[in-house]
Amino acid sequence: MKMICIGRNYAQHARELGNAVPSEPIFFLKPSTALLPPGSAFRIPEWSKEIHYEMELVYRIGKRCSAIRADEAAHHLDGVTVGLDLTARDVQEQLKSSGAPWEKAKAFDGSAVVSDRSLPVTDLDAELSFGLERNGKIVQQGRSTEMLFPVPLILEHVSRFITLEPGDLVFTGTPAGVGPLSPGDLLEGTLEGRSMFQLRVEG
Ligand code: ZN
């Protein structure tokens, strides 16, 4: 199982980090070892001073995809849920400024938090709303219709280069409002108004 993550897929989030809005989807990977075991707390690693939460819609691949067209995407998905693309922002900024790949900042152990519940994928044009609360306060809210590259275009683009297999997860980018985690934080992710996961942060 691998995770494909889309960067800068919401215009306001690209701007909040001072990045240009991309002309095609930007993607990177997380290995299966990045997945935090369900129900575990997240421990802030000692090598970063700034782990950011990024709340995202996450789609699960149900059927192998290689070079598919956007209009075939729905047949290749078997669920949608929400998750966190945890990011060592301080490390990422150093890597970006030297032009190096981002993996150290994005693919570390525990950097992917995914709800163990999901909704079926029916109509990819239907709007899904999702959000993240930190210690009871809403910090991120997003809608699938705000993506610069909607899921069908993401699958068309990514599957030109990388075959997606059943069980792979596609993180679709985060809306504005990202910020740092502190020890003791309690995060709660929602999808369509329903609680999907809770995450305790340890220092
Ligand atoms: Zn992200």
Side-chain angles (χ1 to χ4, degrees), residues 35-77:
L35 197 64
L36 190 74
S40 303
F42 174 75
R43 179 167 287 276
I44 296 176
E46 93 291 341
W47 46 261
S48 173
K49 300 254 175 298
E50 194 183 13
I51 301 288
H52 273 196
Y53 51 81
E54 293 191 357
M55 180 68 181
E56 312 197 359
L57 284 171
V58 179
Y59 288 80
R60 192 174 56 240
I61 302 293
K63 252 172 69 183
R64 184 182 162 92
C65 320
S66 176
I68 64 162
R69 294 190 319 264
D71 63 9
E72 302 170 306
H75 306 296
H76 293 79
L77 293 168

Side-chain angles (χ1 to χ4, degrees), residues 13 16-17 30 42 44 48-56 83-90 92 105-106 108 110-113 130-141 171 173-183 185-189 197 199 201:
H13 169 66
E16 78 180 340
L17 294 184
K30 291 183 193 258
F42 174 75
I44 296 176
S48 173
K49 300 254 175 298
E50 194 183 13
I51 301 288
H52 273 196
Y53 51 81
E54 293 191 357
M55 180 68 181
E56 312 197 359
L84 295 170
D85 163 21
L86 296 177
T87 303
R89 193 71 71 203
D90 50 351
Q92 187 192 30
K106 286 285 197 181
F108 58 90
S111 62
V113 177
F130 62 103
L132 181 68
E133 291 186 12
R134 179 184 179 216
N135 304 324
K137 180 170 165 268
I138 296 170
V139 288
Q140 287 195 278
Q141 282 183 300
F171 283 65
T174 196
V178 300
L181 295 176
S182 300
D185 280 353
L186 181 65
L187 303 180
E188 181 163 22
F197 68 83
L199 179 70
V201 178

Side-chain angles (χ1 to χ4, degrees), residues 22 27 36 76 87 94 112 116 126 133 135 147 149 160 170 172 175 189 195-196:
F27 65 89
L36 190 74
H76 293 79
T87 303
Q94 288 166 15
D116 56 8
E133 291 186 12
N135 304 324
M147 290 183 198
F149 300 101
R160 283 175 66 197
V170 181
T172 54
S195 176
M196 298 295 281

